[in-house]
Amino acid sequence: MFKPTEGEEFARDFFVFILMFFILVGNALIIAAFIKNRLLRTGSNVFIVGLAASDWLVGATAIPLYVANLKQELPGTLLERSYITLDIFSGTASVFHLVSVTVERYIAITRPFLHRTLLLDSYYKALAFVWALSLILSCLDFILTPKVSSKYPFYILVTLFFLALVTIVPLDILILKISRSLIRNTVEPAVHSTRSNETLRRKLRRERRTAATITITCGAFFVTWLPHLVAAFVFTFCFPCNLSPVDIGRVGAFVKCMQYANSALNPFVFAFRDAQIRTTIKRMINPCLNIVQTAASSSQELS
């Protein structure tokens, strides 16, 4: 088994701690903004806050168990099985939320009248289904026999990745093309511009910006998860290859950190791209910043 040097272990643990901090804080702010601002309680934001909750679980449970699992050398223990189960749970939940919000945006652009008839309760029911399905798939790892369960995480990973690939990519392309066409052909002519046309234009541009935000989020998902998929394929079917334990250990740590980094990127993408989320977060953290500034000014005066 690969045992990193003290310097490598310190650097890895420090990076993971920083990653965990940004995951917990960033996603907690997204969830708090959704709770605080009623204007954010839309259908697509239901799935976005669900994605934030699944990402928060990555930082709160999966990463601590991952670090603890690296420090113990007893494969097959309850700690390792618990880590794998929680890792599958958070991963499947993230992918299902991305697929759900992409499908929701597609319906909003292509079937606007149907989209307006959907009640918020229907989104919450879909959210509950996503969490229930993720829980069932993750718990199967405990039920399966050791021989089957050894490759179960890999099969889940491949299934999720290609489910996202064949669902999200075509729908995102269609969403962007349709929204661009609607803006250009329906309300773009300035000669016939009216107040209703201007309102419709702003709405379509907002829909397009939301769709672009989802596209960026999905792109970050594919970039950060692809190395994990490739490494999992190599380690599952080419093991043992002509790789030393040192190479395997370092590559494994790198691809897991890449995968977990996705959970830290998502809240920053949403906060940067969505003005309402960004404004709500600023309003929540401004009192804390004022307290820190006041305390700093008081300490300077005393000194």
Side-chain angles (χ1 to χ4, degrees):
M1 184 175 181
F2 167 61
K3 183 69 175 176
T5 64
E6 290 186 4
E8 289 178 335
E9 187 172 7
F10 174 80
R12 181 200 65 201
D13 292 347
F14 179 77
F15 177 78
V16 169
F17 174 79
I18 296 298
L19 199 61
M20 187 168 60
F21 172 80
F22 280 109
I23 290 172
L24 292 175
V25 174
N27 288 289
L29 287 173
I30 296 294
I31 297 170
F34 180 83
I35 295 172
K36 184 177 180 63
N37 190 347
R38 285 183 171 271
L39 295 176
L40 292 175
R41 298 176 192 176
T42 62
S44 58
N45 284 344
V46 167
F47 296 117
I48 288 173
V49 79
L51 176 62
S54 64
D55 286 336
W56 188 88
L57 282 176
V58 171
T61 59
I63 292 181
L65 284 175
Y66 168 69
V67 174
N69 189 60
L70 287 177
K71 294 182 181 297
Q72 60 95 21
E73 301 182 5
L74 297 174
T77 60
L78 180 61
L79 177 65
E80 185 185 44
R81 297 296 298 275
S82 300
Y83 158 68
I84 293 174
T85 300
L86 285 169
D87 201 42
I88 293 173
F89 177 66
S90 57
T92 52
S94 295
V95 174
F96 289 153
H97 282 106
L98 287 174
V99 171
S100 299
V101 75
T102 304
V103 172
E104 189 272 339
R105 286 294 86 200
Y106 179 75
I107 295 173
I109 292 292
T110 60
R111 302 287 188 273
F113 296 107
L114 172 63
H115 186 262
R116 293 192 194 102
T117 63
L118 296 176
L119 300 176
L120 200 59
D121 285 346
S122 61
Y123 291 99
Y124 287 122
K125 290 177 182 177
L127 190 68
F129 175 76
V130 165
W131 284 104
L133 183 59
S134 302
L135 182 63
I136 292 170
L137 290 175
S138 61
C139 289
L140 282 177
D141 184 62
F142 268 107
I143 301 173
L144 297 172
T145 61
K147 183 178 180 180
V148 178
S149 65
S150 62
K151 293 184 179 180
Y152 180 72
F154 170 76
Y155 294 136
I156 285 290
L157 174 63
V158 172
T159 303
L160 291 175
F161 189 87
F162 284 101
L163 170 67
L165 189 66
V166 301
T167 305
I168 292 173
V169 173
L171 289 184
D172 275 342
I173 294 173
L174 288 173
I175 289 169
L176 294 175
K177 288 180 64 176
I178 293 171
S179 60
R180 186 184 297 115
S181 176
L182 286 172
I183 292 172
R184 185 178 62 251
N185 298 328
T186 307
V187 296
E188 202 59 47
V191 177
H192 305 289
S193 179
T194 63
R195 181 173 297 180
S196 60
N197 274 356
E198 288 297 327
T199 302
L200 181 57
R201 182 185 303 180
R202 286 195 297 270
K203 182 178 179 181
L204 284 172
R205 285 177 173 166
R206 187 167 58 250
E207 294 281 359
R208 182 182 173 185
R209 184 173 178 83
T210 303
T213 302
I214 303 304
T215 302
I216 293 170
T217 305
C218 295
F221 164 79
F222 288 121
V223 170
T224 53
W225 277 59
L226 183 59
H228 185 212
L229 176 68
V230 174
F233 181 85
V234 172
F235 295 161
T236 302
F237 295 103
C238 300
F239 195 80
C241 294
N242 191 21
L243 292 172
S244 68
V246 174
D247 295 329
I248 295 171
R250 287 172 178 164
V251 170
F254 172 76
V255 298
K256 287 305 292 183
C257 287
M258 282 282 291
Q259 177 192 351
Y260 293 145
N262 180 246
S263 298
L265 287 174
N266 288 337
F268 289 97
V269 171
F270 292 130
F272 179 77
R273 297 279 304 176
D274 193 299
Q276 280 191 338
I277 293 177
R278 186 168 61 252
T279 302
T280 305
I281 291 175
K282 285 181 179 178
R283 289 174 181 171
M284 290 190 298
I285 65 176
N286 274 339
C288 299
L289 295 177
N290 292 334
I291 293 173
V292 172
Q293 290 175 354
T294 303
S297 300
S298 301
S299 62
Q300 287 178 355
E301 291 175 359
L302 290 175
S303 61

